[in-house]
Amino acid sequence: MNLPTYREASEESAIAPLPMAHLSIEICHFRHEEILYETDLVRAQFRRAVPLVAAFIESARIEFGPDTQVSTCYLTDDYFQPRFEPAKVLDRLLRTAGEAGLSIDYLARESSCHQAPVFAGGVAVGAPIPVAEMVSARLIAQPEDEETANGSRPPTTESGWLCNGRREQNGVSRPAMHPQPYRPPQEYGRGEHSIFLDVELWHDRDAARRWSCPFLAAVWQLLRLGMLRYHGAPVVDPQQWPADRDWPDRWQDLPPVVRLNPEAAPFTAYRTLSMLPKRYLLIESAVRVILDHLAPDDDVAAEVAAQGARAGVPVPPKVVERVGHLLLDGT
């Protein structure tokens, strides 16, 4: 499958600035089955998160001052688990969070990291934005090695695999029967030893592309960091959900990002922190590999850096340096 190349250059479209909080805190992540059938587990994790959220907010205030803005968010797993009805999942999730004393400002749909519908007046309008394809088009290809040069291994854009180094090479026969010795994998920028990670970004089945959890999680980080635009415009625009309005029957009828708290700080932020169960350690390690291979849009990066300078917030040039994690035990 050949993907189109997306450009967001300023000569084509002006880059719209986004309101920026100092910190975006993602609070836990649960499977829909856990929310519905293991509610005590979810409640216990939310209760543990309450003092941690307060501590990180206070830490941000110490760093940035009393006017520091921090928002909280939750990403619901409707891409891999669309069969569960939104009302059953979200009512239980938000009620359990409230019982634990936890405030969630924004609710986002993971499927919107694949394609983000554009909402106006509470309904989807026009074609969805191909967010995943936009991000995949900005991945830096692996340096060519012997395996890609001789055609034995296709490049990342074809294979859907991305690694943080040079893959291993088994001994193969060459002309005149001169075997090539085994070569172990080797991490780029390694110390004395390598830690090699090879990440599946997607696979194609029946002409349909299925994006991996680490890749969508990387897109999720970019959305929260305000690093994505489509023809200069924001990819997602958080929509206020009326308190007296029922959840829809289908996930696709929900905006990509729902604002639950009308008084919330901005959804996008200069830094992100994801507080997740420890079982997501490998996924989040893969997220960092993906972000390390990303070539951000120069104009978007310049806009965010300029906003940060005006706000007194240093913005590192590497996106991955703006991403933080806290992995919770006992899960």
Side-chain angles (χ1 to χ4, degrees):
M1 177 184 291
N2 293 322
L3 294 177
T5 298
Y6 292 91
R7 296 190 62 210
E8 306 295 341
S10 57
E11 66 267 23
E12 296 176 358
S13 302
I15 301 301
L18 292 174
M20 302 289 285
H22 292 82
L23 179 66
S24 163
I25 302 179
E26 178 183 7
I27 307 175
C28 302
H29 187 73
F30 301 104
R31 302 184 185 98
H32 287 172
E33 293 98 330
E34 292 172 325
I35 295 171
L36 294 175
Y37 308 122
E38 300 181 50
T39 308
D40 289 343
L41 177 150
V42 175
R43 184 179 295 106
Q45 290 302 312
F46 278 160
R47 284 175 176 166
R48 290 182 61 196
V50 171
L52 295 173
V53 170
F56 279 107
I57 291 175
E58 180 59 26
S59 177
R61 286 174 176 161
I62 291 173
E63 182 174 3
F64 299 115
D67 296 328
T68 295
Q69 291 187 299
V70 180
S71 61
T72 60
C73 59
Y74 182 90
L75 182 69
T76 186
D77 188 8
D78 68 317
Y79 183 79
F80 296 101
Q81 295 186 303
R83 66 185 184 277
F84 293 92
E85 296 178 21
K88 292 182 179 179
V89 173
L90 299 182
D91 284 342
R92 180 70 63 87
L93 173 75
L94 297 177
R95 182 170 63 251
T96 304
E99 291 169 353
L102 189 64
S103 175
I104 299 176
D105 295 326
Y106 296 95
L107 173 75
R109 296 195 295 113
E110 190 164 16
S111 60
S112 297
C113 297
H114 167 212
Q115 292 183 330
V118 179
F119 269 70
V123 296
V125 294
I129 298 173
V131 189
E133 291 184 0
M134 288 169 50
V135 174
S136 67
R138 289 198 166 275
L139 292 177
I140 301 173
Q142 292 293 325
E144 186 174 279
D145 58 22
E146 185 170 348
E147 287 187 308
T148 57
N150 65 24
S152 62
R153 182 189 294 273
T156 294
T157 53
E158 296 178 18
S159 69
W161 285 84
L162 182 73
C163 62
N164 67 337
R166 187 186 67 191
R167 295 181 174 93
E168 70 174 350
Q169 183 172 302
N170 293 316
V172 295
S173 295
R174 285 184 166 184
M177 302 301 293
H178 294 296
Q180 180 176 341
Y182 170 76
R183 186 187 70 188
Q186 193 172 83
E187 177 189 5
Y188 297 136
R190 69 192 184 283
E192 185 175 351
H193 296 86
S194 289
I195 300 175
F196 182 80
L197 297 175
D198 208 352
V199 181
E200 186 175 22
L201 308 178
W202 65 75
H203 58 243
D204 295 329
R205 291 181 182 175
D206 301 326
R209 176 150 293 183
R210 187 71 167 170
W211 302 92
S212 71
C213 182
F215 184 81
L216 294 179
V219 176
W220 167 234
Q221 293 288 351
L222 294 171
L223 288 173
R224 293 166 63 199
L225 290 169
M227 291 300 295
L228 298 180
R229 301 292 190 282
Y230 187 64
H231 299 307
V235 169
V236 297
D237 180 22
Q239 303 286 303
Q240 185 70 39
W241 194 261
D244 58 351
R245 184 177 176 184
D246 293 334
W247 299 113
D249 295 329
R250 305 183 308 165
W251 291 103
Q252 56 264 41
D253 293 328
L254 270 176
V257 179
V258 176
R259 181 185 288 107
L260 300 172
N261 176 10
E263 306 301 322
F267 167 71
T268 45
Y270 296 111
R271 298 180 190 174
T272 66
L273 172 71
S274 293
M275 298 171 51
L276 302 171
K278 189 171 284 186
R279 65 172 181 257
Y280 291 104
L281 172 61
L282 288 178
I283 290 176
E284 297 305 317
S285 297
V287 167
R288 301 187 73 86
V289 170
I290 296 168
L291 294 178
D292 255 338
H293 284 77
L294 183 79
D297 181 278
D298 291 338
D299 297 312
V300 176
E303 172 61 38
V304 174
Q307 286 184 255
R310 291 192 294 269
V313 180
V315 178
K318 294 188 66 174
V319 173
V320 72
E321 294 178 6
R322 298 169 56 196
V323 175
H325 293 91
L326 176 65
L327 301 176
L328 302 174
D329 289 327
T331 56

